[in-house]
Structure formats: structure tokens, C-alpha cells
Amino acid sequence: MGWDEFLWHVDHRLGMYVGRPRYERAFSALTGFDLARGRGELAEFQGWMSVRHRGSSLAFWSLVLVETFGEGATEDSLASDDDHTRAISNLCRLLREFLGQQVSIVDQR
């Protein structure tokens, strides 16, 4: 299974695998998938997100929340199922954007 398929499952069917869909569970699933692949894509995603946020030292999962809900957003501020769904969808969207850029860089070589 590749990232595209995995991200689809995280975005659309996370609850089927981990119970109630929660942002921290999505992050944990992505981390496990990245570790199993052994290619370090999430480490590269961290760098990409940091550059996207003018060199911020926040972890990418925090930066995703900032992009989704605004400055100062944290996991503790996710108050509803809809908040978690929005955060998970944006995390998956940003990862797809990043991975798409990586593919186009490889294609240019």
C-alpha cells in the first residue's frame, strides 16, 4: 500500500481501524505507516511544513492545526467531532500536497 491509498483510508475510514476518529489517532497511524515504510517521508514533511511557516520550530502536527483553525490552535482546542474531522482532512491534504511536490521533483531529475 502506498501513501495515496493509506491517506484515503485515514481521511475517510479512520474510525473503522481505530474507533472514534481523533486527530491524535490519525497522527499515530501516519507515524506508524511512515516507520513501517522506512523512508522518512514524515521527517521531510516536517521540514516542508517548517519552511511553509517561516522556519517555525513547531511539530508538523501542530502546524497543521494552525493552518486549519488559526494561530494558537492546539489539540486541546478540538472540541467536536467536526473539529477532528477537519483537522484530519487537512493533515491528509497537506501530506498529499507535499508528496505530490516530491514526485514532481523526482520526475524532473
Side-chain angles (χ1 to χ4, degrees), residues 12-86:
H12 300 287
R13 301 187 120 178
L14 182 63
M16 188 168 112
Y17 303 104
V18 298
R20 196 168 184 189
R22 290 290 176 254
Y23 184 68
E24 68 274 3
R25 293 176 185 176
F27 168 75
S28 294
L30 293 173
T31 301
F33 185 75
D34 182 62
L35 289 171
R37 288 175 55 88
R39 297 183 188 167
E41 286 115 339
L42 287 185
E44 293 175 24
F45 181 61
Q46 174 64 50
W48 183 79
M49 287 295 290
S50 179
V51 168
R52 187 176 170 102
H53 289 266
R54 296 178 298 280
S56 174
S57 61
L58 289 176
F60 73 80
W61 54 268
S62 291
L63 294 173
V64 169
L65 293 175
V66 168
E67 283 199 29
T68 306
F69 300 105
E71 208 57 46
T74 66
E75 276 189 86
D76 292 336
S77 63
L78 301 178
S80 68
D81 290 346
D82 185 54
D83 287 347
H84 284 275
T85 299
R86 285 181 54 207

